[in-house]
Amino acid sequence: MSSLPQFAAAGPAAAMSDSIATALVGPGYVSVDAALPAALTDALFVHFKSLADAELRRAGIGQLRDHRVNGFVRSDSIAWLNGDHAATRDYLDWMEQLRLALNRRLFLGLFDFECHYARYSEGTFYRKHYDAFRGRSNRVVSSVFYLNPAWAPADGGELLIYDAADQLLERVVPQYGRMVLFLSERFPHEVLPVHKPRYSIAGWFRINNSINNRIDPPR
Ligand SMILES: O=C(O)CCC(=O)C(=O)O
Ligand SMILES: [Fe+2]
């Protein structure tokens, strides 16, 4: 059996990188449907669903030295991707190509990318938050990739994106194959309570700053 990544050559097409880069400049967020090759999306879905409950743990908030589980803020369960499976390796490769493409277009100096699977069970949510606070985080661009076939409005779990004045900008249905990207410091956002299990991959492109020895995201 070959251990070569199946989709390694396929980062985002130039046109997709162009439109993502343009959108990040203004308005600062973008939603892309069918973002990945369909076979990779399907492979991620199958892999995520195959993870046992024991491999997913309750997510925490705060930074490394201040990490705590707080079910009032968020109640999803997560597993960090480390590329030990063909699907996760190919996803990390694809996002690496996107990282390079964004750096070429925007000179963002994005240094690395990390991400985790997130499963929101029935009744769970993620209250309004920023992924990064100015000067206190390495996160520059947030990404969320959704793995929910046939998500209906009645299933809840929309991602709501706000501006800094808390005006609602966008409601994103977590539809299968959709990827959302936004500037981490600019947009408060929340995940509404879900009425059936909701699957996604949340990730962050980061710069290589070490700020007061703080490292994020929390693990
Ligand atoms: O799943 C989503 O739509 C957003 C998740 C999120 O905001 C996060 O993990 O920081
Ligand atoms: Fe977030």
Side-chain angles (χ1 to χ4, degrees):
M1 210 173 88
S2 165
S3 64
L4 288 175
Q6 279 174 271
F7 308 101
M16 189 183 291
S17 298
D18 286 345
S19 62
I20 291 171
T22 303
L24 289 177
V25 172
Y29 63 90
V30 64
S31 172
V32 183
D33 286 345
L36 301 183
L40 176 52
T41 304
D42 293 346
L44 287 163
F45 179 64
V46 170
H47 179 243
F48 191 172
K49 298 275 276 206
S50 78
L51 294 184
D53 283 348
E55 293 172 77
L56 290 153
R57 63 184 189 87
R58 283 291 304 280
I61 55 166
Q63 291 170 311
L64 197 56
R65 64 183 180 185
D66 180 31
H67 181 263
R68 59 195 182 276
V69 170
N70 181 340
F72 185 72
V73 175
R74 69 185 292 191
S75 42
D76 56 328
S77 297
I78 67 170
W80 290 91
L81 268 65
N82 56 20
D84 62 359
H85 181 278
T88 55
R89 189 174 60 225
D90 289 343
Y91 185 71
L92 291 168
D93 284 348
W94 197 93
M95 294 304 274
E96 171 67 7
Q97 295 302 315
L98 178 58
R99 181 183 76 82
L100 296 171
L102 292 178
N103 277 346
R104 280 195 296 271
R105 287 164 177 77
L106 301 178
F107 308 102
L108 284 172
L110 302 176
F111 178 76
D112 69 3
F113 173 76
E114 48 187 5
C115 61
H116 60 62
Y117 283 131
R119 186 185 67 198
Y120 291 73
S121 310
E122 205 174 329
T124 64
F125 51 79
Y126 196 158
R127 299 264 186 251
K128 196 190 289 180
H129 65 281
Y130 283 95
D131 284 353
F133 290 98
R134 225 169 274 280
R136 284 180 44 203
S137 173
N138 298 346
R139 295 171 172 179
V140 176
V141 177
S142 301
S143 64
V144 197
F145 182 62
Y146 297 113
L147 291 166
N148 306 293
W151 195 264
D155 298 328
E158 285 168 307
L159 168 68
L160 303 190
I161 302 176
Y162 301 86
D163 67 14
D166 275 343
Q167 296 298 308
L168 181 63
L169 297 173
E170 202 73 36
R171 306 179 76 98
V172 182
V173 175
Q175 206 57 263
Y176 196 73
R178 178 170 290 163
M179 185 180 292
V180 174
L181 297 136
F182 57 91
L183 297 175
S184 305
E185 288 183 348
R186 282 260 304 274
F187 301 98
H189 54 281
E190 69 178 316
V191 178
L192 296 181
V194 309
H195 307 311
K196 75 173 195 195
R198 175 192 193 268
Y199 297 86
S200 60
I201 304 175
W204 298 272
F205 294 103
R206 308 189 311 165
I207 51 171
N208 186 24
N209 274 353
S210 114
I211 304 158
N212 301 330
N213 294 321
R214 288 170 186 266
I215 301 169
D216 60 8
R219 285 177 181 264

